Amino acid sequence: MRRNWAITALLLGPAALLAALFFVYPIFGVLKLSVHDGTSYTLAPLQQLYQSRLAVVVLQRTFVLALSVTALCLLVGYPAAYFMAGLKPRTRAFVTYLILLPFWISILIRTYTWVVLLGREGLVNKALLALGLVERPIQILYTGLAVHIGMVQVLLPIVILTCLASMLDIEKDLVRAARTLGASPAKAFWKVFFPLSASGAATGGIICFILSLGFYVTPALLGGRSSAIIANLIDVQVRQTLNWGFAAVLATALFAATLVSLGLFWLATRRRPEFAGLGASR
Amino acid sequence: MKLTRRAFNLGMAATAMGAAVARPASAEAVTIVVNGSGGSLAEAIKKFFEDPFTEATGIKVRATAPVSLPKLKAMVESGNVEWDLTELTGDDVVTAEENGWLEKLDYSIIDPKGELPAIAKEPSAIVRASYSTVLAFRTDRFPEGKQPKSWADFWDVENFPGPRSLQNDPKANLEFALLADGVPLDKLYPLDVDRAFKKLDEIKEHIPVWWTNGAQHVQLLVDGEVNMTSCWNGRITPLKNENKPVDITFNGGALMLSYLGIPKGAKHPKEAMEFIRFRMDPKASAEFVKLVPYPGFVPGMMDYLDPAFAATLPTAPDNAAVQYRFDSAWWAENLAELTTRWNEWMLL
């Protein structure tokens, strides 16, 4: 037992130390800043959050955006993963490589690329004009649509890979057994394959959702006035209004909302056997 | 447990040693950190001032960006002051002086002969440049004779169609709105804020994007993303030199001052002041202004400039006459409240 403990400490120690120094400690700093103005404790920033219609609207907008981006990612990512699960291992390895390729390019550059593609004189508008589908360039850049496109592109690989991982764990014989017992291909998929792959999809979804909540660059560069989400509002408080207390409260609200989302996810899945692999109680 | 503690101690020892090594070896290799607005401006400053200064004095200069009052505040309040000198906007200076974030300037070092005009000298900041925020437009979308000439035209979406952009900042935009609404140049201050926001409501939906930095408004204009935008005059001159279809009008522009100041607790204030004096060289300043048309009040600089070129500068009498003098003091006083209102207006 003692030895085990030492090994655990050795294995997790560096990561825990890093996390404590550069994650937990600063988070406590932010938490403190939200109730302490440098000289004494205060509830003023919290009151401001409570009274600010802006904060409520932007928080709401953040969650709606995260939900719709997650839904889109699952809608596109799940079938793609299903397709990949059916490939021969070597082909699959190649396709996986293609999906990981965007990770080599910084998110900033990928976002700027969308600026070039979606602009009024960009490739998309030029193509639409040339095909006669529109008479004058349409506004895609600096709209919610552009933000969705940019975010889905960044988050899709994560969703595809988590879906794929759970699909590859599924015993193929189970689907075959369903077929031999008379189920149609669709029924075999919905009754056998889909429930077994749901945990992977849900994991991918929740990761995607939580990452979406914290997005900053994409809405800032591709979005317009009404695309700003909570991180952009925090940025405004830090850099423009110098209201760091309010920024800290906003950050804390986002942090709390994320924890609540995770908690709800855990509650919703803990009694379901197909999520056992996630570490929830059996 | 033992192992981790030993590793931890070792790690701490290594960190301490690293810190010791990283300290400057001797006083002769002084490097001052000068914070500015980056981009093409920083390149010109390096060429005309920083490199020659290092050559003349042996003092190295490291340039950083961007200009940020919050960062200055954070540095001074935490006692970890990285900058030795920083650019500041007019209202930054007012706020920074009020809060004691700047060192007093020693004008016996900077201006030993007392040649600088009084308008350039604040107790702890010195005017570096003047620039204008003006109306810029695409000449291919608005041919000769049909070009926007005023903020009223900017607001006129019938006769001057197409997407536009403004800075995501209440500063100057409120003035532009009031000018568009018919307020005369000399009757702007104190601003009628409610009237300005009401006028801004009219244009809000015609502005797909609100720019946040100088590089962005250049990109928006050059990419054809917008047909017109507010802009800093100096960013347009290089575009015109490259024959890009863009032009500006000084009419209704905001004539603004940009300053240099030394953060409180800076490590090399004396060297920073020597660098300021170096930047007051009339000949180098003239060369600089030819590239970046942001003239300061350097005495004697105009003698080195072609009169035809001097007439295109924001401070040229004809240009200055159609602009208003941006009131930094009024803005410093009202900025916090107006920024909050602006963001509510912007994001809701």
Side-chain angles (χ1 to χ4, degrees):
Chain A
M1 270 315 267
R2 251 191 95 74
R3 192 179 156 71
N4 270 344
W5 201 87
I7 287 173
T8 310
L10 197 65
L11 290 174
L12 290 182
L17 189 70
L18 268 181
L21 268 178
F22 298 111
F23 186 70
V24 178
Y25 177 71
I27 278 186
F28 273 104
V30 170
L31 285 175
K32 191 183 170 198
L33 200 59
S34 66
V35 290
H36 194 278
D37 63 8
T39 46
S40 63
Y41 285 92
T42 167
L43 287 178
L46 212 62
Q47 235 164 6
Q48 200 182 347
L49 175 74
Y50 188 67
Q51 288 165 348
S52 162
R53 203 160 78 82
L54 180 67
V56 174
V57 168
V58 172
L59 260 176
Q60 232 170 29
R61 197 184 279 164
T62 308
F63 274 85
V64 170
L65 177 73
L67 273 176
S68 61
V69 165
T70 305
L72 273 174
C73 277
L74 285 172
L75 225 55
V76 178
Y78 186 88
Y82 183 74
F83 167 78
M84 286 171 70
L87 292 174
K88 286 190 203 124
R90 283 191 65 168
T91 330
R92 186 163 57 230
F94 178 68
V95 176
T96 309
Y97 166 78
L98 289 183
I99 286 181
L100 287 173
L101 210 55
F103 281 117
W104 292 15
I105 307 165
S106 104
I107 177 171
L108 205 60
I109 292 172
R110 277 187 279 162
T111 307
Y112 268 116
T113 311
W114 285 116
V115 173
V116 177
L117 290 175
L118 300 176
R120 290 178 75 82
E121 295 188 347
L123 200 67
V124 174
N125 260 316
K126 277 196 176 139
L128 288 175
L129 284 169
L131 292 169
L133 292 173
V134 295
E135 279 177 19
R136 60 175 69 102
I138 51 168
Q139 192 75 47
I140 310 172
L141 190 59
Y142 310 123
T143 65
L145 177 63
V147 176
H148 277 89
I149 294 174
M151 285 177 70
V152 167
Q153 196 241 352
V154 171
L155 293 166
L156 198 54
I158 297 166
V159 175
I160 293 181
L161 292 181
T162 37
C163 286
L164 180 66
S166 76
M167 287 178 187
L168 291 178
D169 279 346
I170 297 172
E171 204 67 61
K172 286 208 181 65
D173 290 344
L174 291 175
V175 182
R176 280 194 208 119
R179 294 278 287 126
T180 31
L181 291 171
S184 67
K187 195 162 188 183
F189 172 80
W190 284 115
K191 288 278 176 190
V192 179
F193 191 87
F194 183 72
L196 288 172
S197 63
S199 72
T203 314
I206 195 80
I207 294 174
C208 178
F209 180 74
I210 287 168
L211 288 176
S212 300
L213 288 177
F215 256 58
Y216 166 74
V217 169
T218 314
L221 290 180
L222 300 181
R225 190 171 57 75
S226 49
S227 309
I229 60 172
I230 195 80
N232 307 101
L233 186 59
I234 293 173
D235 173 54
V236 166
Q237 304 305 329
V238 171
R239 291 198 307 162
Q240 283 184 29
T241 54
L242 306 194
N243 192 344
W244 294 357
F246 190 42
V249 163
L250 287 172
T252 307
L254 177 64
F255 187 51
T258 311
L259 288 182
V260 168
S261 311
L262 266 178
L264 286 177
F265 178 71
W266 180 76
L267 277 178
T269 56
R270 69 186 172 139
R271 298 229 175 271
R272 310 186 60 152
E274 63 265 32
F275 290 99
L278 293 173
S281 57
R282 261 165 214 272
Chain B
M1 184 64 192
K2 244 182 185 170
L3 244 176
T4 41
R5 187 186 290 162
R6 191 188 296 157
F8 180 78
N9 289 341
L10 263 173
M12 291 309 275
T15 316
M17 266 164 67
V21 171
R23 277 204 198 104
S26 63
E28 60 207 51
V30 170
T31 300
I32 56 171
V33 179
V34 179
N35 185 57
S37 28
S40 55
L41 197 57
E43 285 164 32
I45 292 173
K46 181 171 161 52
K47 181 178 168 195
F48 291 111
F49 301 114
E50 290 171 3
D51 288 350
F53 179 68
T54 305
E55 210 166 290
T57 62
I59 300 169
K60 293 199 181 76
V61 181
R62 188 160 67 80
T64 58
V67 177
S68 161
L69 188 66
K71 221 168 161 184
L72 174 68
K73 171 188 169 173
M75 280 184 191
V76 175
E77 287 185 352
S78 70
N80 184 13
V81 181
E82 182 199 346
W83 302 333
D84 293 304
L85 191 63
T86 181
E87 277 179 28
L88 297 154
T89 67
D91 47 292
D92 283 351
V93 171
V94 178
T95 309
E97 287 199 326
E98 259 170 25
N99 289 287
W101 296 334
L102 295 174
E103 296 278 356
K104 288 266 174 296
L105 293 182
D106 183 351
Y107 281 99
S108 67
I109 297 180
I110 295 166
D111 182 25
K113 291 184 204 151
E115 294 170 317
L116 270 174
I119 186 177
K121 294 193 271 194
E122 297 291 331
S124 50
I126 179 166
V127 172
R128 173 193 70 89
S130 58
Y131 64 103
S132 295
T133 304
V134 295
L135 171 54
F137 53 88
R138 291 274 296 216
T139 50
D140 53 346
R141 308 241 167 111
F142 301 112
E144 201 78 46
K146 289 182 180 165
Q147 296 179 338
K149 289 192 180 65
S150 66
W151 292 107
D153 292 349
F154 187 93
W155 254 257
D156 180 355
V157 292
E158 296 283 315
N159 295 313
F160 302 92
R164 313 122 140 77
S165 185
L166 286 172
Q167 188 176 8
N168 186 0
D169 196 318
K171 281 188 249 168
N173 280 336
L174 298 191
E175 286 93 323
F176 297 156
L178 290 172
L179 289 172
D181 210 26
V183 177
L185 282 175
D186 55 346
K187 298 273 184 327
L188 279 170
Y189 298 101
L191 300 182
D192 183 343
V193 174
D194 290 331
R195 183 174 170 186
F197 272 102
K198 219 173 140 216
K199 188 70 180 170
L200 279 162
D201 283 339
E202 289 175 21
I203 200 78
K204 199 176 186 181
E205 296 313 319
H206 298 276
I207 299 188
V209 55
W210 299 77
W211 59 268
T212 51
N213 61 60
Q216 195 188 2
H217 69 53
V218 166
Q219 175 238 321
L220 290 170
L221 214 52
V222 170
D223 289 355
E225 210 52 58
V226 297
N227 291 359
M228 49 177 136
T229 179
S230 62
C231 76
W232 296 326
N233 72 292
R235 305 273 175 159
I236 302 300
T237 314
L239 300 181
K240 279 171 81 175
N241 292 343
E242 291 168 28
N243 290 319
K244 295 274 190 327
V246 293
D247 206 354
I248 57 171
T249 172
F250 276 106
N251 192 21
L255 189 55
M256 297 165 147
L257 296 177
S258 168
Y259 293 79
L260 284 172
I262 299 173
K264 192 94 181 172
K267 295 185 187 79
H268 309 105
K270 198 171 158 287
E271 287 81 356
M273 280 189 260
E274 276 172 25
F275 182 56
I276 298 177
R277 181 176 65 177
F278 197 83
R279 284 177 71 158
M280 298 295 139
D281 178 62
K283 207 168 165 194
S285 295
E287 289 303 316
F288 174 78
V289 165
K290 281 181 199 165
L291 213 63
V292 187
Y294 293 150
F297 294 106
V298 175
M301 179 190 75
M302 285 296 171
D303 302 343
Y304 292 95
L305 290 174
D306 174 30
F309 173 76
T312 67
L313 294 175
T315 45
D318 285 353
N319 296 335
V322 294
Q323 300 179 76
Y324 68 91
R325 178 76 192 279
F326 181 79
D327 190 340
S328 299
W330 188 89
W331 272 102
E333 197 180 312
N334 296 284
L335 189 61
E337 190 192 321
L338 285 178
T339 306
T340 305
R341 180 162 175 185
W342 175 265
N343 284 317
E344 298 242 341
W345 180 83
M346 176 67 55
L347 298 175
L348 284 179

